[in-house]
Amino acid sequence: MVWNPVAREYLLANIPRVLVPLNVKDKAIGVIAFGAKESGDIYNQEDIEVLKVISSQVAIALENATLYEQTKKFNIKLTKEVSRATADLQQANTELRKLDEAKSEFISIASHQLRTPLTVIKGYVSMMLEGSFGKLAPTVDENLYKVYESNERLIHLVENLLNISRIESGRLQFNFAKEDLTDTVASVVEELSHTSEMKKIYLKYSPPKEQIMVDMDEEKIRQVVINLIDNAIKYTKKGGVTVSLQKQADKAYFCVSDSGMGIAEKDLPNLFKKFSRGKDTSIVHTEGTGLGLFVGKMMIEAHKGKIWAESKGTAQGSKFCFTIPLINKQPPKTLEGKVV
Ligand SMILES: Nc1ncnc2c1ncn2[C@@H]1O[C@H](COP(=O)(O)OP(=O)(O)OP(=O)(O)O)[C@@H](O)[C@H]1O
Ligand SMILES: [Mg+2]
């Protein structure tokens, strides 16, 4: 126990008659010193008992006051620490945001600069393949086609990077118009049928008999449909790909299912994240950046729709679907089924 100097001085000058310890549990936190009684009587047993009770109450009160004081001090210290840490975090956050903006700006500029020469390469290679500069020897033709394909992949990558930088900076613009989704899907299937033929797998699509009118940015939805069918072809070695489109309640319901490599259960929740590829995907198909589905999700959500993946597991095929709202009022049809 530490003696308070004032108390020590007092005790030396006035000889106490009774010293009552102040105990909290087994800890002594002080003593109360009593001088002689005013009446001059000596302290009897009853007095001692009363003093014991009083001292235990005083000890608890003192202990509580000390604890309260400590808590108050700790609180002040904590508030200061929290404010300092918050300020540090805000500073770090501002710096990170600046870095992120610089990164997005860089990707955007680099992608823009890459797009023009890639488009020029595509144009010339296409003309060569079509024989615009004379007939090519079969080996040249074959190898030139590989150049064409690789260039297409680069264009696809640059397009995705540009889209992501636009999405992240809030600069992605949509040109919504009333369109028939049936036409978009049919033209993408036709475009990709060559790729599936080359892989010797089927690509089936039975277009719906009716129009499926939606309010969409045709170019963006086209990109999503291309990526889903392209993925299905890419990740299927045997069997093939089935595309379906139909109305379901107030939604257009599009699905691509395949008999390909399937998706492990633990990969399913991550597929729509940026740069996410399934565990074994890069072994089966080295090309691909894992951006297509991320961009697709953004596009579909901007159309107030939903996109998801289903698979029973590895080697069990996959199914990717999206829905977007139908335009409430479908255009009236003539008796021949044509829209007027
Ligand atoms: N039909 C499918 N079958 C099996 N796995 C698939 C299928 N579609 C997508 N995946 C998995 O989802 C991942 C992400 O697909 P996503 O389209 O985003 O990227 P990617 O095809 O790898 O590259 P890219 O950016 O060129 O589209 C793929 O890498 C693959 O692991
Ligand atoms: Mg893809």
Side-chain angles (χ1 to χ4, degrees):
M1 191 168 60
V2 182
W3 281 101
N4 180 312
V6 180
R8 186 185 160 82
E9 197 74 1
Y10 177 84
L11 285 175
L12 288 173
N14 306 279
I15 297 157
R17 296 292 191 281
V18 179
L19 282 173
V20 186
L22 295 174
N23 290 337
V24 175
K25 291 186 186 142
D26 290 338
K27 200 175 97 196
I29 62 162
V31 286
I32 309 179
F34 293 90
K37 279 170 112 179
E38 272 186 7
S39 61
D41 296 344
I42 57 161
Y43 285 92
N44 58 25
Q45 192 53 39
E46 201 178 320
D47 294 334
I48 301 291
E49 290 306 321
V50 171
L51 289 179
K52 271 189 194 165
V53 173
I54 291 173
S55 73
S56 70
Q57 298 297 324
V58 171
I60 289 169
L62 264 176
E63 177 76 349
N64 282 346
T66 314
L67 282 178
Y68 175 72
E69 198 55 34
Q70 278 172 1
T71 312
K72 222 165 84 179
K73 275 187 194 152
F74 181 68
N75 230 343
I76 293 169
K77 200 173 148 205
L78 204 66
T79 312
K80 276 188 196 154
E81 296 268 320
V82 168
S83 330
R84 217 193 51 227
T86 310
D88 285 354
L89 268 178
Q90 270 167 352
Q91 169 80 10
N93 200 15
T94 315
E95 276 164 24
L96 266 180
R97 204 170 298 149
K98 274 191 204 149
L99 270 176
D100 201 49
E101 276 166 18
K103 181 212 71 186
S104 297
E105 182 79 11
F106 169 75
I107 291 178
S108 171
I109 293 170
S111 309
H112 266 296
Q113 297 302 324
L114 279 169
R115 200 156 60 159
T116 318
L118 287 174
T119 315
V120 174
I121 295 172
K122 180 184 167 117
Y124 278 103
V125 174
S126 302
M127 278 155 67
M128 287 160 104
L129 284 170
E130 283 159 11
S132 306
F133 305 119
K135 197 166 164 40
L136 302 173
T139 46
V140 177
D141 191 68
E142 210 175 280
N143 288 315
L144 201 59
Y145 189 72
K146 287 182 188 152
V147 174
Y148 179 84
E149 274 188 332
S150 298
N151 192 62
E152 281 292 278
R153 278 211 303 277
L154 269 176
I155 291 176
H156 173 71
L157 169 66
V158 164
E159 218 31 71
N160 271 341
L161 287 175
L162 263 177
N163 273 327
I164 288 175
S165 80
R166 285 187 196 127
I167 290 168
E168 287 178 347
S169 62
R171 281 183 291 117
L172 188 68
Q173 287 185 352
F174 289 86
N175 298 313
F176 286 99
K178 293 182 176 60
E179 308 266 5
D180 185 359
L181 190 55
T182 322
D183 293 343
T184 310
V185 175
S187 85
V188 173
V189 170
E190 197 187 321
E191 200 178 304
L192 292 176
S193 57
H194 176 67
T195 323
S196 65
E197 272 165 30
M198 301 270 281
K199 272 195 85 173
K200 299 196 170 50
I201 58 171
Y202 62 80
L203 173 57
K204 285 188 208 157
Y205 173 54
S206 326
K209 302 246 167 353
E210 53 187 347
Q211 286 192 314
I212 298 201
M213 299 301 292
V214 289
D215 197 12
M216 68 172 173
D217 181 325
E218 208 270 337
E219 206 191 301
K220 310 269 190 315
I221 292 295
R222 193 182 177 79
Q223 273 180 30
V224 182
V225 174
I226 289 180
N227 184 50
L228 292 183
I229 303 180
D230 177 61
N231 280 353
I233 298 174
K234 226 165 46 170
Y235 302 120
T236 301
K237 274 191 182 156
K238 263 198 243 154
V241 176
T242 307
V243 177
S244 68
L245 174 65
Q246 56 192 291
K247 282 184 188 174
Q248 207 177 68
D250 54 351
K251 291 183 184 82
Y253 185 70
F254 171 86
C255 283
V256 184
S257 30
D258 64 60
S259 57
M261 62 179 284
I263 301 158
E265 201 184 335
K266 65 172 175 36
D267 286 336
L268 272 175
N270 298 320
L271 296 182
F272 294 90
K273 290 180 186 158
K274 214 189 312 181
F275 296 112
S276 164
R277 303 194 77 202
K279 196 176 137 276
D280 302 322
T281 311
S282 42
I283 306 166
V284 177
H285 214 285
T286 42
E287 301 92 30
T289 41
L291 293 176
L293 290 177
F294 172 75
V295 172
K297 187 171 189 295
M298 298 290 152
M299 303 295 187
I300 294 297
E301 283 174 357
H303 284 76
K304 300 190 179 68
K306 282 203 175 92
I307 184 164
W308 69 94
E310 296 168 17
S311 176
K312 292 203 174 82
T314 315
Q316 313 242 21
S318 319
K319 189 173 178 185
F320 284 77
C321 301
F322 72 74
T323 57
I324 48 176
L326 290 169
I327 291 173
N328 284 341
K329 220 167 164 268
Q330 295 288 306
K333 288 185 176 176
T334 60
L335 284 177
E336 289 84 38
K338 287 193 182 130
V339 178
V340 285

